[in-house]
Amino acid sequence: MQKELENLKPASVWRYFGEIMNIPRPSKHEEKISAYLQQFGKDHGLETLSDKLGNVLIRKPAHKGYEKSPKVCLQAHMDMVCEKNSDKKFDFLTDPIKPILDGEWLTADGTTLGADDGIGVAAILAILEDKTIEHGPLEALFTVDEETGLTGADGLSDKWLQSEILLNFDDEDEGEFCIGCAGGIDTTVAIDYKSVRNTPGTKAYTVKVSGLKGGHSGDDINKGLGCANKMLTRILWQGTFAKERYGLRLATIDGGNLRNAIAREASALVVLPADKDKAFVKMAKAMAEAIKFEFRTTEPDLQITIKAADRPAYLIDKRTQDNLLNALYACAHGVLAMSREIPNFVETSTNLASIKMDSKQIHIATSQRSSVESAKHAAAAKIEATFRMIGAHVTHGDGYPGWTPNPDSKVLKVAVEVYKRLFKHEPVVRAIHAGLECGLIGEKYPKMDMISFGPTLRGVHSPDERIEIKTVQMFWDDTLEILRCLK
């Protein structure tokens, strides 16, 4: 167990979290954590199952006197978002996460922490291990690939679970119970291009956007955070289409990484005619200052740099460059609609997540979310329409459903009463704009009564991810008392 975790409470939860941080578990690469969980179940003499996707189910009998209590499923996902600072050397497939104590918070050294949802997994393991906790019959469900498609929950058998109640441990605000979430769909774009030789005598520059907070493309989409892809596009578009005719040509472009994270960094290698480069640099720096002023409150660490670079041998052909920059500038990003029923609740949004290129194509990844199914598909169609106008290849993922709130939930009533008794104030009950596996699980088990809750996390899906230490004890106490009272 890492030194940073030794004195944290509850000790058993932090001990398991420390073990989990040593196990590589990127989305779609959960083999090691799946094997760890299966071995845990076997070592503790518990019925342990796994499916072809790598999902793991562990069953624990009821505590004495609780045999007739309703069966409860404790659920968390085993994968994590793998984001790091650009200057951090780290391999998520092999390297352990290094935790850092920062006052009342725990964070990581230049990478995501993996508390989303490693802390949920750790809490479940601590419950399964402890023979003194009072509870009815338990099932512990650990799913794969929540972060890049929810394919573990989507592929779950509708005959696997026996529980009447599900407690999902993937919420990020202590003191709230989530009873609904948005559905989502991914839209990806591929744009063919030709490589053409660079013109002799041009000057090359790297334009880079960095220092943004990033964050969750659902929970954080309405917080006024900057999207590096959109900021970079503004400068490149101006260098290409401004009436001053700077003559910018694009060699490479790269921005963002994950569909469910707001892009924190983006860069492009460009060339300018030798008689235009100084004017472009002056313009670009002025635009950079204007953008920094616009985001001075929400992105105080934003950096936009324009630096001389080595001349590239090849460029993206001019027609594709123009189409690409026009489409990227026009592409929607952020909140598309607020709820008409729930005050200050985002209904529909879209995220311009990443821009990548290989030797033949430029690839753009976006994600759309909505608590209204028709609006979700309309948002995806809006993105498709934008890129169809330039002849791009556009595809949509299968998507996942939202989770319709049930304000009359029996487990919710128990949870609210327990919380008030423990902490002497009312918890928040709400739906969230992020996606949760509850929607997919609820489709397969429509009679399942579900809530989601957890300790406080901030900066998830970014290297700023951190967990508020004291809320883990609160989450733990809350969970154990809910289990005790579910009779």
Side-chain angles (χ1 to χ4, degrees), residues 198-207 235-242 244-251 268-284 306-312 315 318 321 325:
N198 189 7
T199 305
T202 55
K203 299 289 185 69
Y205 291 87
T206 297
V207 184
I235 296 174
L236 301 183
W237 190 94
Q238 197 70 18
T240 304
F241 297 107
E244 290 80 5
R245 300 296 176 189
Y246 297 105
L248 179 145
R249 294 299 310 279
L250 183 61
L269 177 61
V270 303
V271 300
L272 287 302
D275 61 341
K276 297 288 187 180
D277 71 305
K278 291 183 180 179
F280 166 77
V281 170
K282 182 179 179 180
M283 178 276 296
I306 302 95
K307 294 183 178 180
D310 294 334
R311 294 177 66 252
L315 309 173
K318 184 67 165 62
Q321 171 188 317
L325 294 179

Side-chain angles (χ1 to χ4, degrees), residues 205-218:
Y205 291 87
T206 297
V207 184
K208 184 175 181 179
V209 179
S210 61
L212 294 172
K213 294 177 181 177
H216 192 289
S217 63

Side-chain angles (χ1 to χ4, degrees), residues 300-321:
D301 298 323
L302 167 62
Q303 296 293 321
I304 302 176
T305 58
I306 302 95
K307 294 183 178 180
D310 294 334
R311 294 177 66 252
Y314 292 93
L315 309 173
I316 297 170
D317 70 273
K318 184 67 165 62
R319 180 177 180 181
T320 301
Q321 171 188 317

Side-chain angles (χ1 to χ4, degrees), residues 107-316:
T107 185
D109 182 14
T111 71
T112 38
L113 177 64
D116 174 16
D117 191 20
I119 200 67
V121 174
I124 295 173
L125 295 180
I127 292 169
L128 293 176
E129 175 192 62
D130 194 325
K131 296 181 180 179
T132 67
I133 296 172
E134 297 174 325
H135 59 74
L138 292 182
E139 292 184 309
L141 174 63
F142 306 98
T143 49
V144 299
D145 196 29
E146 189 271 350
E147 298 290 5
T148 62
L150 296 96
T151 55
D154 188 38
L156 192 68
S157 167
D158 60 3
K159 296 178 175 60
W160 222 23
L161 299 180
Q162 302 169 358
S163 296
E164 306 163 48
I165 293 168
L166 184 136
L167 304 182
N168 170 277
F169 291 163
D170 197 19
D171 194 82
E172 295 157 9
D173 286 280
E174 190 285 321
E176 76 170 31
F177 295 106
C178 179
I179 60 170
C181 71
I185 189 169
D186 296 340
T187 302
T188 56
V189 178
I191 303 169
D192 299 324
Y193 76 93
K194 297 178 181 178
S195 293
V196 298
R197 287 193 175 275
N198 189 7
T199 305
T202 55
K203 299 289 185 69
Y205 291 87
T206 297
V207 184
K208 184 175 181 179
V209 179
S210 61
L212 294 172
K213 294 177 181 177
H216 192 289
S217 63
D219 278 346
D220 298 325
I221 201 69
N222 63 333
K223 295 180 179 178
L225 300 174
C227 172
N229 293 328
K230 296 298 287 185
M231 292 177 177
L232 178 66
T233 297
R234 285 176 64 175
I235 296 174
L236 301 183
W237 190 94
Q238 197 70 18
T240 304
F241 297 107
K243 62 182 180 181
E244 290 80 5
R245 300 296 176 189
Y246 297 105
L248 179 145
R249 294 299 310 279
L250 183 61
T252 63
I253 185 169
D254 182 275
N257 287 304
L258 303 173
R259 61 156 187 90
N260 53 4
I262 301 171
R264 302 172 57 250
E265 297 181 343
S267 63
L269 177 61
V270 303
V271 300
L272 287 302
D275 61 341
K276 297 288 187 180
D277 71 305
K278 291 183 180 179
F280 166 77
V281 170
K282 182 179 179 180
M283 178 276 296
K285 288 184 176 180
M287 281 196 70
E289 290 304 311
I291 294 170
K292 288 170 70 175
F293 179 78
E294 292 173 22
F295 288 87
R296 63 194 183 280
T297 302
T298 56
E299 298 287 4
D301 298 323
L302 167 62
Q303 296 293 321
I304 302 176
T305 58
I306 302 95
K307 294 183 178 180
D310 294 334
R311 294 177 66 252
Y314 292 93
L315 309 173
I316 297 170

Side-chain angles (χ1 to χ4, degrees), residues 67-99:
E67 292 83 0
K68 294 183 179 180
S69 296
K71 290 184 178 180
V72 176
C73 179
L74 310 176
Q75 191 262 323
H77 63 85
M78 62 181 84
D79 61 320
M80 66 174 284
V81 168
C82 297
E83 280 279 88
K84 66 181 184 68
N85 293 324
S86 59
D87 59 352
K88 177 71 175 178
K89 293 183 179 179
F90 192 90
D91 188 344
F92 283 99
L93 289 173
T94 58
D95 297 341
I97 303 296
K98 181 180 178 182

